[in-house]
Each structure stands twice: as C-alpha cells, then as structure tokens.
Amino acid sequence: MERLVIDPVSRIEGHLRIEADFNDGVIKDAFSSGTSVRGIELIVQGRDPRDVWAYVQRICGVCTTVHALSSVRSVEDALDIHIPRNAHLIREMMNETLFVHDHVVHFYHLHALDWVDVVNALKADPAETSRIAQSISDWPKSSVGYFKEVQNKIKKLVDSGQLGIFANGYWGHPAYKLPPEVNLLAVAHYLEALDWQKEVVKIQTIFGGKNPHPFYVVGGMATPIDINSDTGVNAERLAYISQLIDEAREFVNKVYIPDLLAIGSFYKDWTYGGGLNNYLVYGDFSTSDWKEVKDYRMPRGVILDGDLSKVYDVDPRDPEQIKEFIDRSWYTYDGQRTGAKHPWEGETTLNYSGPKAPYKNLNTDDKYSWLKSPRWKNKPMETGPLARMLVGYALDKEEFVDIVDSTLKKLDLPISALQSALGRTVARGLETVLISNWLRNDMDELLKNIKNGDQTTFDRTKWEPSTWPKQTKGVGWMEAPRGSLGHWIEIEDGKTKNYQAVVPTTWNASPRIEDQNVGAYEAALRGTPVLDPEQPIEILRIIHSFDPCLACAVHLTDLENQKMTELKIG
Ligand code: NFE
Ligand code: MG
C-alpha cells in the first residue's frame, strides 16, 4: 500500500488535504482533512444578534451572501419576525444570482480543466471548432477568426513558457479525451466566462449595495427602493437588473449548458466518484415565506443508498436528526475527545492533537481534520447540486423531471449515471437553468409589486431588543450553491449566547467517524483507479466535482498555543 498526499488541493477555496492509500493503481481508502481553522462561531458570542450576519458573512467570499442570509433567518426564526414581500423576493434573487455566478465560475474556472486539455487546443482546426460551436448553440461569438484569435493567445502563453492561469495542469495526460477542437471551444469560453462573471454580480451589488458581502438587515433588506428617485434602487437600476438577468440566462443556456453536454458526452465511460449515495437537502426558494416548506421550488428531503423510491423528511430542529461528531476532529465537547451534539447544544473548543509541522502524514488512525463530522440520523450525507436534482426528481417535481429526463436522453444515459463525479457536474448545470428561470420570475414579481405601489423592504416591528423574549433560539436553513446550510443561534438577554454554523462542505469533506461511516469525499474516492500517481487527475476530478470550499467548512490559531491573538475592542 502506498500513500499519496495532495496538499493543498488547488483551484478551490481554503486548505484541503487528501491522503489516499492505493494499491495496484486503485484507491483503497482516502482521508479528507481541513488543515486550517478559523474562529468565527466564537467571535460572535456576546454580540448583538442583529450584527451577527455581518461577521459570519465573512466566513466566505465565494458564497458571498449565504452566511448573511442564514444568519438573519436564524435571528428572525428566534424572534418570530416576518419580513416584507419585497425583501423576501430580493433575498431570493440575491441567492439565485449567487448560484448562477458560482456555478458558471465553478464549471469553467475551477473544474473544466480536469476535463479540458488547454495545450492540446493548439492542435485544433479553428474552422472545425467554429462548425461545432454553431451546431450546438446560436451564441454569436463563433466565427473561425474568433477561435483563431483564442488559439493565438494560448500559443503566446505556451511559447513564453509561462502558462499563467493555466500553469501546473496535467496537460497531455491520457485521461483527457476531448478532440482538440472541443478543447479550443472550452478554452474560449473559459475566457469569456471570466468577463461575464463580473457582470452578473452587479445584480447583488445593486440590491445589496456592494459585492462581495452585500448588505442584509434583520427584518428585511437594506435596499432603498424608490422608483422616482435619482439615486438608490430606482427605475433605471431596476431596468438594468432586468437586463442583467436576461443576459445571464442567455449565457447559461447558450454557452454553459451546450458546453457541459458537449464535454460530458466524451466522458460517459468515466463513471467514478459517486460515493455515498446518501443525499440531504434542506430545501429552499419558497414562493411564499422561507419557512413554508410546501412552497419550496427546490424541495426538501433525504435519499438513502441511492433509492429514489423513498424520500425521507428532514428537520434541522430535531436533535435526533442533525448532529456534529468530533471523534476524528481536533475539538473537544465538555472536555471529552469524542461525542456528538445538535448545533443548538454545539460547542467550538479547539484541541489540536495532530503532528507538528513539517510533517509527512497525518495520523489518520486518530483525529485528522479541523472539520467536524455532521451526520443525519448518524449517517453521512452528500449535499449539493446532485442531492438537489435527485430529491426533486424522486419527489416528481415537474421541472426537475423534465430537465433531468431530457438531458439523460441527449446523453443516452440512465439516471443511475448521475451518481458520479460527472453526474454531479451535470446536476450543477441543470439546477443553474432552473434557478436562472426562478430569478426571472422573482424579478417580474418584484416589478409587479412595485408597480402596485409597494416599495417596502424592511419591517422594524421587533427591532428593539426590549421587545424580545429573555431567552430564545432559532435556526436559519437554506440551500447554498454547495449544499444545505444551517446557522443555529441561542439568544439570551439580547445577546448571542451560542452560535453554530454547519456548512455544505463540512458535510461533504468531513472526516470519518469510523471506517464504515466516512464523509462524501472519502467515499467518492474509494475504488477509483489512478493512472499515474504523479499526476492524480482522477482525484482532482472527483474532489472538484463537489466544488470544495474549506473556508466555509472550518469557520486563527497557532498550533502550539491554540490562540494567536487576543483582540480587545474598547
Ligand atoms: Ni465558501 Fe459555501 C457554499 C456555504 S461551503 S462556499 O455554497 O455555506 O460549502
Ligand atoms: Mg460549525
């Protein structure tokens, strides 16, 4: 048995380390470790619950809006605050915009190069690339001259010996299967998507005042709608958002999805990376209030062992359902090295017991990660786009069934093929289509409301802490791009007593509790053949298909002293 270490796994957010044992070219077992830790759950203790969103939003700059949304939801749940309709619609659109932005950026900039050989695009005939482009889409940038120009750009990079954003790829690896012409098409769209992504986030910038980390407020949104004003969110800004939404949908439907299917069709026999086949979705995108589960456009549920005939209910409030284990994580609970707690009882006590740097290997027989291990009814779960597509499909939601069935038909694949790395990547594209449609619908509804004279975005009825109960607790759940997210808050005397975030990547990248109870990454890697251990592209394909965000998953510490700085704010 040989142990392979990839640290850090690149083209992700945060620090992820994979240690994989393999034998005869096949991964027998794998260990996923988050190697940095932050203290954001601790920072907010004792603070005003109305301010917490602004702190926890800094958990991540990639899913730049979700922690604020989960946080205000948790406080509003605890205080029974209901927000105005416009605020609900704007919050939905903030998240929908994030999904569309995040998924496109993930596909082109974080994941595509596991499937697309950039250097091989130099061998392409641009006329043939142009023909292929026009056969799969009516996206206007498709001339022979355009693809020649892109090819020249790549050639300049390669000739200079400095590949820049394309450096350190495994170019020429036999696992790359695309013809040169399709590689060229994908690289062209990689560059176009870089430009496009800075446009779509303007929707968040306008509604939320800035991006990354737009503004929220407990009780609604801090969005100053006044259609007759010269400033703020006026008629002109709203028309601009509408235009950005249409442009975003056009890019998704004419570039992202055709590319996804074109690339996917060459990798149909690469069926690895499924893994757990247990899927968890809290659900979200309600057409009424966020807690109205029956009105979710993205439905809630759990699927076990890949059995789509049964969908189990999920309740983030139930202490028997959601627990975080620390058996293999560098924490203690009540001074003990093992155990499990529901987030309302949760505890963040750092207790590093790993090797001293520099080290060769982690002690994977004991604790080996800063991530805790969240479990549903003690079972490990995958969360994210694949889980959401499968739960929507299993519950017979029309939009989900239609898009999944038509895509599988185009690719000539059975539904079971989705339970793989490539299937996860396809599922992410399909949900982008659904969510970009909802983005359009929500904007239309907001415009209708405004036209009817409603410009309210904030309700201050329960703004004053004197109106709050002495003690209360709440949970804000949602779907974030990488999966189900929950923030649990306990409020006492107007202050935050305890705060716990359980994040999508914590579910997916969690360490095992025991060898039969491993997280989604570890399960997905087991049994995968690796052609060349010096260039483990197979591991990247599988891990990247989850779109890891370790910054989110381990929400600073000096490894020796456990405490790096103490800030006194007067
Ligand atoms: Ni930092 Fe995040 C998302 C959250 S993590 S990216 O999506 O929450 O898995
Ligand atoms: Mg946490």
Side-chain angles (χ1 to χ4, degrees), residues 116-421:
V116 171
D117 187 333
V118 175
V119 174
N120 175 271
L122 291 177
K123 296 190 184 136
D125 169 6
E128 179 59 11
T129 301
S130 168
R131 194 199 60 75
I132 294 170
Q134 290 172 12
S135 74
I136 61 174
S137 169
D138 58 1
W139 183 246
K141 284 178 125 175
S142 62
S143 69
V144 181
Y146 171 63
F147 290 114
K148 260 192 189 146
E149 206 181 293
V150 173
Q151 205 176 29
N152 282 338
K153 266 191 202 162
I154 306 170
K155 189 165 184 320
K156 268 194 201 143
L157 278 174
V158 172
D159 289 348
S160 74
Q162 295 184 334
L163 279 167
I165 50 174
F166 300 127
N168 299 324
Y170 299 147
W171 314 132
H173 192 292
Y176 284 116
K177 300 286 184 206
L178 299 182
E181 286 72 21
V182 178
N183 283 318
L184 178 59
L185 178 72
V187 177
H189 292 164
Y190 177 112
L191 299 171
E192 276 183 58
L194 265 184
D195 262 343
W196 169 87
Q197 58 88 28
K198 74 181 191 321
E199 297 302 312
V200 64
V201 293
K202 289 179 182 166
I203 299 171
Q204 286 195 350
T205 314
I206 296 170
F207 279 139
K210 66 191 272 287
N211 181 292
H213 301 137
F215 285 98
Y216 281 71
V217 64
V218 168
M221 283 303 276
T223 311
I225 299 183
D226 184 351
I227 48 168
N228 297 316
S229 168
D230 290 339
T231 60
V233 182
N234 56 18
E236 181 265 332
R237 295 282 93 179
L238 289 166
Y240 187 38
I241 291 179
S242 240
Q243 177 195 329
L244 289 166
I245 291 173
D246 290 342
E247 288 169 1
R249 293 177 70 215
E250 198 179 10
F251 194 86
V252 167
N253 290 315
K254 294 191 174 177
V255 184
Y256 177 20
I257 298 300
D259 283 359
L260 176 63
L261 298 181
I263 295 171
S265 68
F266 287 93
Y267 287 104
K268 290 198 309 192
D269 57 352
W270 206 83
T271 54
Y272 306 102
L276 288 177
N277 298 343
N278 292 340
Y279 302 100
L280 167 97
V281 184
Y282 292 160
D284 203 351
F285 299 103
S286 170
T287 50
S288 58
D289 178 274
W290 73 271
K291 281 193 273 189
E292 283 296 342
V293 177
K294 67 172 181 18
D295 293 337
Y296 282 2
R297 285 171 284 187
M298 188 170 267
R300 166 175 286 192
V302 156
I303 290 172
L304 294 178
D305 302 321
D307 177 4
L308 302 187
S309 69
K310 175 113 190 68
V311 178
Y312 300 84
D313 198 17
V314 187
D315 182 0
R317 301 178 198 276
D318 182 349
E320 294 311 313
Q321 290 198 24
I322 312 275
K323 284 186 196 152
E324 283 197 301
F325 287 75
I326 54 156
D327 295 40
R328 309 300 280 273
S329 319
W330 293 310
Y331 298 91
T332 54
Y333 279 166
D334 303 318
Q336 304 297 310
R337 292 187 84 241
T338 59
K341 283 177 187 270
H342 181 266
W344 269 329
E345 312 297 325
E347 187 186 332
T348 306
T349 308
L350 312 180
N351 185 13
Y352 184 70
S353 60
K356 273 195 179 174
Y359 53 82
K360 188 163 173 281
N361 287 117
L362 292 165
N363 180 4
T364 48
D365 292 333
D366 188 33
K367 294 179 178 244
Y368 61 92
S369 183
W370 283 115
L371 275 68
K372 295 178 183 170
S373 303
R375 295 293 186 262
W376 179 79
K377 296 194 175 175
N378 300 332
K379 294 182 199 310
M381 293 286 157
E382 167 171 349
T383 186
L386 177 56
R388 292 187 285 243
M389 269 297 137
L390 291 176
V391 167
Y393 189 88
L395 288 172
D396 241 0
K397 277 270 213 186
E398 202 181 338
E399 282 175 290
F400 288 74
V401 174
D402 285 355
I403 200 163
V404 168
D405 281 347
S406 63
T407 306
L408 290 172
K409 205 168 154 209
K410 280 182 206 148
L411 288 170
D412 191 19
L413 284 171
I415 180 94
S416 55
L418 282 182
Q419 303 191 35
S420 64

Side-chain angles (χ1 to χ4, degrees), residues 13 59-63 66-67 102 480-483 485 503-506 547 549 551-553:
E13 165 59 39
I59 286 175
C60 187
V62 174
C63 56
V66 301
H67 295 288
D102 217 24
R482 288 157 196 77
L485 169 65
V503 174
T505 297
T506 326
D547 192 3
C549 178
C552 273

Side-chain angles (χ1 to χ4, degrees), residues 444-462:
D444 291 344
E445 213 188 310
L446 178 74
L447 292 172
K448 204 168 80 192
N449 258 5
I450 294 172
K451 213 171 151 198
N452 288 337
D454 178 7
Q455 302 196 110
T456 315
T457 54
F458 172 58
D459 180 342
R460 60 175 305 129
T461 321
K462 294 190 182 164

Side-chain angles (χ1 to χ4, degrees), residues 9 12-13 15-18 30-35 276 328-329 368-375 380-383 482 503-513 518-525 543 546-554:
V9 176
I12 65 164
E13 165 59 39
H15 297 81
L16 173 68
R17 176 183 175 101
I18 298 288
F31 300 86
S32 158
S33 172
T35 55
L276 288 177
R328 309 300 280 273
S329 319
Y368 61 92
S369 183
W370 283 115
L371 275 68
K372 295 178 183 170
S373 303
R375 295 293 186 262
M381 293 286 157
E382 167 171 349
T383 186
R482 288 157 196 77
V503 174
T505 297
T506 326
W507 286 93
N508 289 336
S510 63
R512 66 197 55 195
I513 299 171
V518 309
Y521 289 8
E522 296 184 357
L525 289 170
I543 296 297
F546 288 93
D547 192 3
C549 178
L550 274 288
C552 273
V554 270

